[in-house]
Amino acid sequence: MANVWEDLVGTVNDRFALGLSGNQIKHVAGAIQARNNADSAFVDLIGELLKAAGDDIELNYDASGSGADRKYVIRRPSSGMTEALTLILPAVNGTDGQVLAKKAGSGAGIIELEWVSLGGTANKRTVDTTTLNHNSSSPLSMFTLPANNRVFEARIIIVTAFNGNPSMSVGVSGDTSKYVGATQVDLKKPAGTVFVIRGGTAAAGSAENLIITYAASGATA
């Protein structure tokens, strides 16, 4: 007589137990879950190689979506790729302040990352962008200027002309026009207008929290 298991191709139940007290494979809303025997928790699913047909890998899949309990998604770009890519992470932990960079000679299709130390910050520039709207609150926080750094240049770019008679300045608490004075900018100028103000102040000896001080003065757009 033929073995009864030879022709078994499925089950009408929504789960399949592995042994009398083992874990079970469960079907839920179109997905396959690995659950414990009591169906009260997820269990590990271990194999030689994980292959995902979709573009995403979700960590903390069963997150509540509130507080700190949220999903984290690792996503492949859905367009723009011109070759298959392999990401290789560093073999060791980096030290504080180091950053990840592509290792020289990684080869075609290989993104091999390594920890590298940044060079000194002398003579290096960074750029920060802050958006000001007609209904923005004042003062509007911009960024923190590190100690022993200075503002080289401020650019105010009019994307959409303001109406009314608004004004703005850039500075710090106690000196709100330290870097850009209210008389140096006209927010009513046409879109595309750029005001460039070169900084002439010395480097700050301590960190500064830069702010925009804004007065709407009838601006509604």
Side-chain angles (χ1 to χ4, degrees):
M1 185 172 68
N3 190 320
V4 69
W5 297 105
E6 289 180 351
D7 297 326
L8 180 64
V9 294
T11 174
V12 296
N13 296 316
D14 64 356
R15 68 199 67 196
F16 192 87
L18 304 176
L20 295 178
S21 59
N23 297 325
Q24 49 184 304
I25 304 299
K26 185 179 180 182
H27 174 271
V28 178
I32 297 176
Q33 298 181 353
R35 305 283 290 178
N36 63 11
N37 183 262
D39 194 18
S40 59
F42 290 103
V43 296
D44 295 343
L45 187 62
I46 302 172
E48 180 70 17
L49 177 65
L50 172 65
K51 292 187 177 182
D55 291 335
D56 294 357
I57 296 177
E58 294 184 359
L59 305 179
N60 200 27
Y61 153 79
D62 58 339
S64 66
S66 62
D69 189 21
R70 299 178 183 274
K71 289 194 301 184
Y72 198 104
V73 178
I74 301 173
R75 176 167 296 164
R76 182 194 74 90
S78 58
S79 62
M81 292 184 66
T82 58
E83 61 179 333
L85 298 173
T86 299
L87 177 64
I88 303 176
L89 298 175
V92 296
N93 187 17
T95 58
D96 290 351
Q98 287 188 313
V99 298
L100 288 172
K102 184 177 180 181
K103 188 174 183 179
S106 295
I110 302 296
I111 307 173
E112 185 174 1
L113 300 179
E114 63 178 350
W115 295 105
V116 297
S117 297
L118 292 174
T121 57
N123 300 321
K124 293 197 174 185
R125 298 180 183 178
T126 58
V127 177
D128 180 86
T129 301
T130 303
T131 299
L132 175 70
N133 295 310
H134 75 276
N135 57 353
S136 292
S137 59
S138 182
L140 178 63
S141 296
M142 297 181 68
F143 65 98
T144 299
L145 182 70
N148 303 315
N149 283 256
R150 73 181 185 92
V151 174
F152 173 74
E153 180 180 283
R155 294 189 180 191
I156 292 81
I157 303 170
I158 307 299
V159 178
T160 304
F162 284 61
N163 61 8
N165 190 33
S167 64
M168 63 159 287
S169 63
V170 178
V172 296
S173 178
D175 189 357
T176 56
S177 296
K178 182 175 182 178
Y179 297 113
V180 178
T183 60
Q184 294 178 288
V185 180
D186 184 356
L187 296 175
K188 302 188 299 297
K189 289 296 185 180
T193 302
V194 180
F195 299 93
V196 180
I197 296 92
R198 292 291 177 91
T201 58
S206 57
E208 291 185 328
N209 296 318
L210 269 65
I211 57 174
I212 294 175
T213 300
Y214 170 66
S217 299
T220 60

